Amino acid sequence: SHTEFEGRAIHSTSVVGDANDCHGHGTHVSGIVAGRLAGVAKGATVYAVKVLDCEGSGSVSNVLAGLDHAITEIVGKSPRRPTVINLSLGAPASAGSSIVSFAESAVDSNIVVVAAGGNDAVLACSLAPALSPKVISVASSSNGDTFSTAFSNHGSCVDVIAPGASIVSSSRVSDSTHELRSGTSMASPYVAGLAAQYLSAHPTATVQQVRDAIACAAVP
């Protein structure tokens, strides 16, 4: 209901709790993807799938249930609609193989999947689904447009770097307030929004074509 979304945000399902964003993470991330002022793809429709609790935590099984819903219920009912899934979350590689499998299954169905690279200043290859070569994995830059080594994961599993420090976006506090947050959770939706923008102009593009377009637009 935040004014940033102009009625374009739809609650699709809650795997944990009710529809209320009691943490604020999802509201902020969604605003970066598609907000009227804060967002990249300002005309995109956002389908909210809640998998994290009021502390911002969630289980692998909850993430899998959310992905299954996104693939079967949202995409499955409109298979010709260009779709991007943003995953501003992650699990240790040792526990997240099933998340990787679901994410890669989505990519194989020509759904663009973008994921946060992680905030532990270690190799992104240690985090699922960021470790997957089929997923667009995003690290964070600082306010000075340099790599944010203070917290962002890094390494060969990172595909692109996007802003993730002190990002202004929609807040759960009220339908008109905004707040600052930092993390690769904020960087990932910038890239997801860019993917959505590209698909709006090129609705028949493949996942690889979207990846190539983002890579070409990035500054080395």
Side-chain angles (χ1 to χ4, degrees):
S1 60
H2 199 286
T3 55
E4 277 282 348
F5 303 116
E6 304 173 302
R8 292 176 288 107
I10 299 168
H11 175 256
S12 189
T13 194
S14 293
V15 178
V16 55
D18 58 23
N20 179 50
D21 181 8
C22 50
H23 184 272
H25 181 268
T27 300
H28 195 274
V29 167
S30 299
I32 298 169
V33 174
R36 176 178 62 93
L37 298 175
V40 178
K42 301 181 186 300
T45 300
V46 176
Y47 290 87
V49 178
K50 182 180 175 183
V51 300
L52 304 179
D53 61 22
C54 295
E55 304 301 319
S57 300
S59 65
V60 169
S61 61
N62 283 348
V63 175
L64 294 179
L67 278 170
D68 182 62
H69 175 86
I71 295 168
T72 61
E73 294 298 318
I74 300 174
V75 180
K77 291 179 178 178
S78 301
R80 296 184 180 179
R81 177 188 298 163
T83 303
V84 180
I85 294 177
N86 179 73
L87 295 172
S88 286
L89 50 78
S94 58
S97 60
S98 51
I99 297 177
V100 171
S101 295
F102 263 73
E104 290 184 343
S105 175
V107 174
D108 290 342
S109 298
N110 207 41
I111 301 168
V112 178
V113 179
V114 184
N119 304 317
D120 298 311
V122 298
L123 293 176
C125 294
S126 65
L127 194 73
L131 60 83
S132 171
K134 293 187 177 184
V135 170
I136 302 174
S137 303
V138 189
S140 170
S141 64
S142 68
N143 287 332
D145 201 27
T146 58
F147 181 69
S148 183
T149 54
F151 63 82
S152 181
N153 287 359
H154 52 271
S156 61
C157 286
V158 170
D159 295 297
V160 67
I161 302 171
S166 301
I167 302 302
V168 178
S169 186
S170 41
S171 170
R172 64 172 292 273
V173 174
S174 79
D175 285 347
S176 59
T177 56
H178 296 74
E179 63 185 21
L180 294 172
R181 289 187 179 228
S182 297
T184 57
S185 280
M186 284 68 248
S188 179
Y190 272 111
V191 178
L194 183 59
Q197 256 192 340
Y198 184 83
L199 284 169
S200 177
H202 307 87
T204 61
T206 65
V207 170
Q208 188 59 53
Q209 287 171 328
V210 175
R211 292 180 67 101
D212 291 344
I214 291 171
C216 287
V219 178

